[in-house]
Amino acid sequence: MQERVNKMSNILQTIKTLTEINSPSGNAEKAINFVKDIAEDLGYQTELTNKGALIITVDGDNQSQQRCITAHVDTLGAMVKEIKENGRLAIDLIGGFHFNAIEGEYCEIQTESGDVYTGTICLHETSVHVYKDNKDNHEIPRDLEHMEIRIDEKTNSVQETKDLGIEVGDFVSFDPRTQITTSGFIKSRHLDDKASVAMIIELLKKIKQDNINLPHTTQFYISNNEEIGYGANASLSNNIVDFIALDMGALGDGQSSDEYTVSICAKDSSGPYHKGLKSQLVQLCKLNAIPYKVDIYPYYTSDATTALKAGADIRHGLFGAGIESSHALERTHIESIEATQNLLYAYCMSQISK
């Protein structure tokens, strides 16, 4: 297994680097620019949309029937909601998750001037030596009223915190805690969806290094607002026929997907994905001996569905690596990453089938 981990060291390092770039929705410029610089160094044409997303265009033989493949660099995060009387911070969440997913997490607060302070997201009544309710019945809710950021600075009042430059509306990012194990797992916050972005980067490198000619012109759309519902839903070419969201496969009870295969979505909370495109993805897996699972994600939407809702006339599909414990401390395995990479390549090299 260590040999396989070493073989995939490039993409694993890219994932690690991406997860360590703070990019909560609304504040993803550094991550966007990281991908942009790589694409331009490889010689690709890039464009920044008005809302800050990145489009990388790779020319192909067919210009009239094009593809769009999207992945997102924005992540879950938070904002300073209030500076409390004790100098600590109340926060409001960015994205779909609950406070229990970040309790005890180290974090960073970025001020308007660009200064960064560290802290820890704590239950106010954490100490069992002081708070009886926390010691005896564990019924204290994890919510806006009880959760706060303990700043790693000497501050005990509203004014002392403000003197640091911290204000309401400042962005809060969570420590990703990325680790790669010798058994082939990568565990980290924000694998949703930086694992997919890393796969696109590796594909762009392969296309350039191997002088590959794609059958269809393809837009690789790196979105920056997916977690809040409006990522790659605008600035799309009218020639786009197929739209693939390269995003995580959701794992859990009742799901067939796992951490060792590529997960193909048949339906999410918005409804079924395009039947013909889903069938094409399955056939590509069968033809290329790619391990896969087909699944339904009951509480999930993607940039593919938001593009449809915005009026795009496209065939929409979704596949990605199986991610355990989504929107919390996530994990996947190199086998799932490899299977997803192989399907991504096979799909890009195939003809659009209608």
Side-chain angles (χ1 to χ4, degrees):
M1 182 56 69
Q2 184 61 54
E3 184 177 342
R4 292 188 69 182
V5 172
N6 293 341
K7 181 181 177 182
M8 297 186 68
S9 61
N10 286 342
I11 188 169
L12 293 173
Q13 184 56 52
T14 301
I15 294 172
K16 187 174 189 295
T17 300
L18 276 166
T19 60
E20 291 172 348
I21 299 174
N22 292 337
S23 56
S25 299
N27 193 29
E29 292 88 352
K30 287 184 179 179
I32 286 286
N33 287 332
F34 174 83
V35 182
K36 181 174 180 287
D37 289 346
I38 291 174
E40 290 180 347
D41 286 346
L42 290 169
Y44 291 109
Q45 172 189 337
T46 67
E47 172 192 355
L48 289 175
T49 69
N50 288 331
K51 62 183 179 183
L54 173 67
I55 298 175
I56 305 162
T57 300
V58 180
D59 290 331
D61 293 334
N62 191 326
Q63 299 282 333
S64 60
Q65 291 185 311
Q66 299 182 9
R67 290 183 162 119
C68 180
I69 299 173
T70 183
H72 64 93
V73 291
D74 66 303
T75 69
L76 306 174
M79 268 187 172
V80 175
K81 170 68 171 60
E82 174 191 358
I83 300 174
K84 303 173 75 172
E85 291 300 320
N86 61 3
R88 297 188 178 191
L89 306 175
I91 59 175
D92 198 27
L93 304 182
I94 298 173
F97 65 109
H98 300 287
F99 278 101
N100 66 289
I102 56 172
E103 183 175 359
E105 190 59 88
Y106 295 159
C107 64
E108 291 186 346
I109 307 103
Q110 180 180 331
T111 70
E112 185 67 28
S113 64
D115 292 331
V116 174
Y117 295 96
T118 62
T120 305
I121 300 168
C122 301
L123 180 70
H124 177 78
E125 302 90 345
T126 290
S127 177
V128 296
H129 297 96
V130 176
Y131 298 100
K132 186 176 186 295
D133 285 346
N134 195 21
K135 181 178 186 297
D136 292 344
N137 55 32
H138 309 287
E139 292 182 356
I140 300 173
R142 272 57 178 170
D143 57 17
L144 178 62
E145 179 182 353
H146 295 273
M147 300 296 291
E148 62 190 14
I149 294 179
R150 180 185 67 200
I151 309 169
D152 297 328
E153 300 290 334
K154 293 182 69 174
T155 173
N156 295 288
S157 69
V158 172
Q159 191 57 52
E160 286 178 339
T161 296
K162 284 190 171 184
D163 288 345
L164 296 172
I166 296 173
E167 296 286 353
V168 171
D170 287 344
F171 282 94
V172 177
S173 302
F174 311 139
D175 185 346
R177 293 202 274 167
T178 309
Q179 290 187 13
I180 300 164
T181 73
T182 57
S183 55
F185 288 100
I186 179 166
K187 53 184 183 178
S188 175
R189 291 190 185 275
H190 316 318
L191 295 179
D192 170 26
D193 188 32
K194 291 183 173 180
S196 298
V197 176
M199 292 181 210
I200 287 177
I201 289 172
E202 291 304 306
L203 176 62
L204 292 172
K205 291 178 180 177
K206 179 177 178 63
I207 291 170
K208 186 64 64 172
Q209 292 167 0
D210 295 348
N211 198 27
I212 294 170
N213 198 41
L214 298 182
H216 294 270
T217 292
T218 302
Q219 284 189 354
F220 293 93
Y221 195 127
I222 310 301
S223 69
N224 60 333
N225 288 296
E226 192 274 348
E227 294 292 2
I228 52 176
Y230 58 95
N233 63 349
S235 304
L236 301 175
S237 167
N238 291 329
N239 292 325
I240 289 174
V241 177
D242 279 6
F243 187 110
I244 291 288
L246 189 65
D247 211 334
M248 66 168 183
L251 311 186
D253 292 345
Q255 301 297 104
S256 66
S257 297
D258 56 37
E259 296 173 83
Y260 315 105
T261 59
V262 58
S263 179
I264 299 172
C265 185
K267 175 185 178 295
D268 67 13
S269 62
S270 68
Y273 281 73
H274 189 277
K275 181 177 181 293
L277 185 50
K278 187 265 291 183
S279 296
Q280 182 182 359
L281 295 173
V282 169
Q283 289 303 311
L284 286 170
C285 287
K286 291 179 178 179
L287 288 170
N288 293 278
I290 300 169
Y292 74 96
K293 298 287 178 64
V294 177
D295 231 329
I296 290 174
Y297 310 155
Y299 310 110
Y300 188 118
T301 57
S302 73
D303 273 342
T305 56
T306 61
L308 279 179
K309 291 176 180 178
D313 183 17
I314 52 174
R315 305 191 322 160
H316 69 312
L318 166 61
F319 67 89
I323 302 292
E324 168 64 28
S325 299
S326 61
H327 284 196
L329 290 170
E330 298 167 342
R331 190 185 77 167
T332 193
H333 194 269
I334 58 172
E335 291 176 4
S336 186
I337 294 172
E338 186 175 44
T340 306
Q341 283 184 288
N342 290 340
L343 178 55
L344 176 62
Y345 178 75
Y347 170 71
C348 286
M349 294 306 296
S350 67
Q351 295 289 334
I352 288 178
S353 175
K354 298 190 72 174

